[in-house]
Amino acid sequence: MENQLAVVLPNEVAEIAKNVSVEKRNEVQTVLNHVFNGVAKMREQLDGVTVTDANDKVNMKLANTIRLGVRHVRLEAEKTFDAKRADVQQQMLSYKTEDSLWLKAKQTMQILTKEIEENARWKEETKERFEAEQKELKTQQRMLKVAKVAPEMLRSEFENMSDETFEMFFTGIEKAFNDKIEAEKKAEEERLAKEKADAEAREKMRIENERLKAEAEAKEKQLAEERAKSEDERKKIEEAAKKEREEADRKLKAEQEAARIAAEKSKAEKDKLEAELRAKSEADEKAKKEAQAKAIAEQKAIFEAEKKAKNAPDKTKLIELAAQIDGLNLPEIKGEEAQKILSDVKTLLSKVSVFIREKSSGL
């Protein structure tokens, strides 16, 4: 038997293979080895086939033969794989049906046995159930009693107390409740008594206010009569005072106006003098700046003239270089790629020439 290559399973397939029996794993490995070793020679033959062009019918026919051979092997192997999977799926269906049978049998057993257990537990726990019912009844009775004197209390605060402790507890909260009712009753009585006393005091004050009001009205009437007598004298005094104020205001305004005119005149003279001084200073500064600018311009012109004279030979040489570049005789080229290179060279030479002329113009 010829040497066969062992197929290395991919990681995903190898992980699945770990969970099946060694027998099944070896069976899958054998089938894969058979298939891959069967097509290994065809792969070598295909690697040796080279189709030179569209007219190489021999090699194309040979490639077709190899493809059909590999296809035949693949289809036969698929039949084997599908048959194996069909067997496994049939076994899985049988196991699933058997599992469903055992599950239903278990559930039926549980229903029957749990019913008996629950009935037995009901009878077994009669005492505990009776005690729990009695405890709940007692707790409800306690809740009714406590709700009358302390409705805000929770059942958890007293439901687990012994009878003796609860009675002592209830006596305490009942006393606190009665004390509170008594205190509220006393407070209400004191409030009513206070309101009555306040009402009596307000009535007494009202009567006193009425008396004082009558006295005040009589006094006001008397004062009104006295004011009426002195009204004429008051008006004469006010009129004289008004005239004195008007005369004083007139004199004050005249003095203020004279002071304002004098201040404006002084300010105008001051502003005129400052303007003349400022104009003279600005004229001097302008003349100074113009002189400085002229001197700088003259120095710059001398510098530029010297610079141009110094750079004139170099400028001439650069312009001649640009002319030489423009007049270069380029070879005639036939190849398409070479022509493209020559076209790029012309573009670059033109850019170099323009660059030299532009930069040398500033020399």
Side-chain angles (χ1 to χ4, degrees), residues 104-201:
K104 290 299 180 183
K106 174 185 176 182
Q107 292 172 344
T108 303
M109 177 274 297
Q110 289 175 331
I111 292 172
L112 293 175
T113 56
K114 286 184 178 180
E115 180 184 4
I116 298 172
E117 289 178 26
E118 290 302 320
N119 288 334
R121 181 180 288 107
W122 174 262
K123 295 179 180 181
E124 176 187 357
E125 296 176 351
T126 299
K127 179 180 179 181
E128 290 82 355
R129 194 170 58 257
F130 175 77
E131 291 175 350
E133 290 173 354
Q134 291 299 311
K135 181 180 179 181
E136 181 61 24
L137 178 61
K138 182 183 292 186
T139 300
Q140 292 296 328
Q141 292 172 348
R142 290 180 176 182
M143 289 173 64
L144 291 174
K145 290 180 68 175
V146 171
K148 295 177 181 179
V149 295
E152 73 282 356
M153 295 193 71
L154 302 175
R155 62 179 286 170
S156 59
E157 298 182 58
F158 54 80
E159 65 177 338
N160 295 319
M161 292 181 180
S162 64
D163 292 343
E164 182 180 357
T165 303
F166 176 75
E167 289 302 325
M168 293 174 61
F169 165 76
F170 181 74
T171 301
I173 61 173
E174 184 178 35
K175 182 178 182 305
F177 175 76
N178 293 333
D179 292 344
K180 180 182 177 183
I181 295 299
E182 184 63 27
E184 290 176 351
K185 180 179 178 182
K186 183 178 180 181
E188 180 65 15
E189 290 175 352
E190 291 176 352
R191 185 185 66 80
L192 294 174
K194 185 175 182 300
E195 287 183 355
K196 181 179 179 182
D198 291 345
E200 291 175 351

Side-chain angles (χ1 to χ4, degrees), residues 197-216:
D198 291 345
E200 291 175 351
R202 283 195 299 272
E203 180 63 20
K204 184 183 292 185
M205 184 177 293
R206 185 188 66 78
I207 295 172
E208 180 65 16
N209 288 339
E210 290 291 336
R211 184 184 66 79
L212 293 174
K213 182 180 178 182
E215 292 180 356

Side-chain angles (χ1 to χ4, degrees), residues 299-310:
Q299 291 177 358
K300 185 176 180 181
I302 294 170
F303 175 77
E304 290 295 330
E306 292 177 351
K307 179 182 176 184
K308 286 186 177 181
K310 182 179 179 181

Side-chain angles (χ1 to χ4, degrees), residues 23 60 95 148 150 156 168 179 214 254 292 315 329-330:
E23 180 185 356
M60 287 190 289
Y95 288 143
K148 295 177 181 179
S156 59
M168 293 174 61
D179 292 344
Q292 290 176 347
K315 180 176 180 181
N329 291 323
L330 301 177

